[in-house]
Each structure stands twice: as structure tokens, then as C-alpha cells.
Amino acid sequence: MKNTSVTFREAKAKGQKLSMLTAYDYTTAKLVDEAGIDAILVGDSLGMVMLGYEDTISVTMEDMIHHSAAVARGTKNALLITDMPFMSYQTSVYDAVVNAGRLMKEGRAQAVKLEGGLEVCAHVKAIVNASIPVCGHLGLTPQSVNALGGFKVQGKGEEAAQRILDEARALEEAGAFAVVLECVPRALAEKITESISIPTIGIGAGAGCDGQVLVYQDMLAMYSDMAPKFAKQYAQVGSQMKQAFAAYKQEIIDGVFPAAEHTFKMDETIIDKLY
Ligand code: KIV
């Protein structure tokens, strides 16, 4: 059955945990969807793990639309959420609605995600009023990496923790259907989770959240530029890929690949007639 923002809200009411993974292309989306993951996030993390930038700042609307549309073609049941990239919504409420609309129309997203708290509540409200479901994102918000001074845990002190809790309540009030909590202490994530009626989706926020999200390259150990503490590695796909690439190279050198079963036959008497 196709998941929607409504089934997400219902899951929290029923106490059902939610699973989310990123995907950025058709093939991966199909695998994630077939594994039964509840939601696929086309994260702007694609700037780092797919495009090789050092952060998410340079990601464009065109990047997001291109990857979101590919993921949509591979997704049947998962809820497809697409990130609004840096400066596609911060500039004005008008820009926020127009760009959210583009992610839905051109990127075939079912919901959008944007980062920030009180400063984006008017934007969230306006997007929701345009019938576009919005997922919030609090704590470590990577688009603010320059203002935050790096990829650091957020909300450890009383003032910062209170601010994140207030922002989660404000996002719920603004109409968000869920909120991602990134890199906040476990106890704060638990407090937020019990204080709001929309699901919290944690990444580096502990098991008390209503759901979890990971970047798939992190959980498959494919991305070696950064290894976040919170990202459990479920398989060593990166090293398996490297081994396979090296074996392919060696078999080419050794003349082992391609073997007879990888080639096509013809009536070879024809070859003798060629001049
Ligand atoms: O861009 C992304 O992949 C994200 C997740 C880390 C939540 O926002």
C-alpha cells in the first residue's frame, strides 16, 4: 500500500515505528522500496555522496528535481520526500511555495523537507496551504553548517535544548506532518517525541524517536569521506564493490572475461566469406 503523509501521522498514533532511507537514483530507489522501507528521502546530502561537494550548500533545484524524478520512477509504496535545497525557500515565502511546487510537479515528490525552526514556520504554513505536505528538520541542519561552525551535535545546553523543543512545537503548529531530528542528544529527542503529535524521525538522535533515517551510503559503508558516529554499517558494500572492480580488471588482463557464456554466436562460415 502506498504510504502518504497521512499514514505517517497514523503510524505515530498507533505506536508503529517508521523507517526512512535516502535514495538518489532509480535503481537504488527500487531496491529500497522493494525492501519495504516506509519512506525514501531524496536528501540534499546528494551533493556530498553523489556529487562530491564538501557540504550541501551548492545543491541546486535542478539537481533535486533531476534526482527526485529518477527516484519517483523506482518508487511504488514508499512515501517520497524531497529536500528543498539551500536558498530555495529561505529567500521568501513566495520562493518557498514556488520551489516546493516544482519539486512536486517536476520531481514527482509527495512531500518536501526543509531545514530550520521559527524562521521557516511562515514558509511551512504557506507550503502546507498549497496542499504540499512538509517535513521539518531540526538540530544539526547541514545547510547552516557555516553558521553552526561545523557538523556538531546540537541542543546539549538548556537554552539550546529549549529552543529546539519550542521549534518542534512551532513546526507542528505550522502544519508539518513530521520532523527530522539530526544529531541531538537522545534524552532531548525523547522529550520532543513525547511533546508533539507528529512523528519524529531521528538521525543521530537515539531510539526514542518515532522513526529513523540514514543516508544509504553510510549504512552500506560506501562513502569514506566522513563516517558519522550514528551511522551503523549494515554491510560492507564499498569494499565489496572495490573487490569486484579489481577482479573485473584482473580478468580482462588474464583474458578470463568475457567467457563463452558472455558472447554471441553466429554461423562462422560467414566469416570466411568476408573480405
Ligand atoms: O539530506 C539528507 O540526506 C538529510 C538526512 C540526513 C536527514 O537531510
Side-chain angles (χ1 to χ4, degrees):
M1 208 184 72
K2 183 75 180 157
N3 285 325
T4 67
S5 59
V6 176
T7 47
F8 252 53
R9 280 175 184 272
E10 287 170 356
K12 173 151 183 159
K14 290 184 204 150
Q16 287 167 357
K17 292 277 188 183
L18 292 159
S19 55
M20 189 189 294
L21 275 176
T22 63
Y24 315 96
D25 66 277
Y26 170 81
T27 302
T28 312
K30 228 173 143 199
L31 292 169
V32 171
D33 191 70
E34 286 168 4
I37 296 296
D38 296 310
I40 295 181
L41 172 66
V42 185
D44 61 354
S45 51
L46 74 84
M48 298 170 78
V49 296
M50 301 298 288
L51 304 178
Y53 298 137
E54 65 183 28
D55 54 40
T56 59
I57 300 297
S58 303
V59 176
T60 64
M61 275 296 294
E62 275 58 43
D63 292 332
M64 296 311 301
I65 288 168
H66 179 74
H67 286 273
S68 182
V71 168
R73 290 190 284 275
T75 304
K76 257 201 202 139
N77 298 320
L79 168 65
L80 173 52
I81 306 171
T82 299
D83 260 348
M84 299 197 71
F86 184 56
M87 286 300 131
S88 68
Y89 59 95
Q90 290 94 339
T91 43
S92 70
V93 169
Y94 176 82
D95 285 350
V97 177
V98 169
N99 285 319
R102 286 193 69 199
L103 293 176
M104 305 290 281
K105 283 168 77 96
E106 300 169 57
R108 301 301 304 169
Q110 292 174 271
V112 298
K113 175 168 82 58
L114 53 80
E115 299 180 6
L118 299 175
E119 73 286 5
V120 295
C121 280
H123 308 60
V124 170
K125 228 180 237 174
I127 298 170
V128 171
N129 282 342
S131 302
I132 299 173
V134 178
C135 177
H137 186 156
L138 294 171
L140 171 55
T141 45
Q143 292 176 15
S144 304
V145 64
N146 292 301
L148 296 174
F151 295 100
K152 295 177 183 161
V153 178
Q154 302 294 312
K156 280 186 162 181
E158 184 180 339
E159 199 184 317
Q162 185 63 57
R163 197 192 63 245
I164 297 174
L165 174 57
D166 291 344
E167 290 183 325
R169 289 182 173 132
L171 284 171
E172 176 182 20
E173 178 67 29
F177 74 92
V179 61
V180 166
L181 300 176
E182 178 164 356
C183 279
V184 299
R186 183 193 48 75
L188 174 59
E190 270 175 24
K191 173 75 182 167
I192 295 170
T193 300
E194 65 194 34
S195 303
I196 59 177
S197 66
I198 56 173
T200 56
I201 310 296
I203 174 161
C209 294
D210 298 305
Q212 299 294 325
V213 58
L214 283 176
V215 170
Y216 87 84
Q217 284 92 341
D218 288 341
M219 57 98 72
L220 297 182
M222 293 170 72
Y223 179 72
S224 53
D225 293 5
M226 213 187 257
K229 171 181 166 165
F230 56 76
K232 179 171 174 182
Q233 297 182 339
Y234 285 82
Q236 296 299 314
V237 173
S239 59
Q240 282 194 347
M241 285 173 80
K242 267 198 262 182
Q243 272 171 28
F245 297 151
Y248 165 68
K249 175 181 171 161
Q250 197 54 51
E251 288 200 355
I252 293 170
I253 292 167
D254 296 345
V256 173
F257 176 81
E261 68 266 30
H262 308 119
T263 57
F264 303 99
K265 290 196 178 115
M266 68 180 285
D267 173 0
E268 294 193 9
T269 61
I270 291 172
I271 297 295
D272 299 333
K273 295 180 191 157
L274 303 181
Y275 54 91

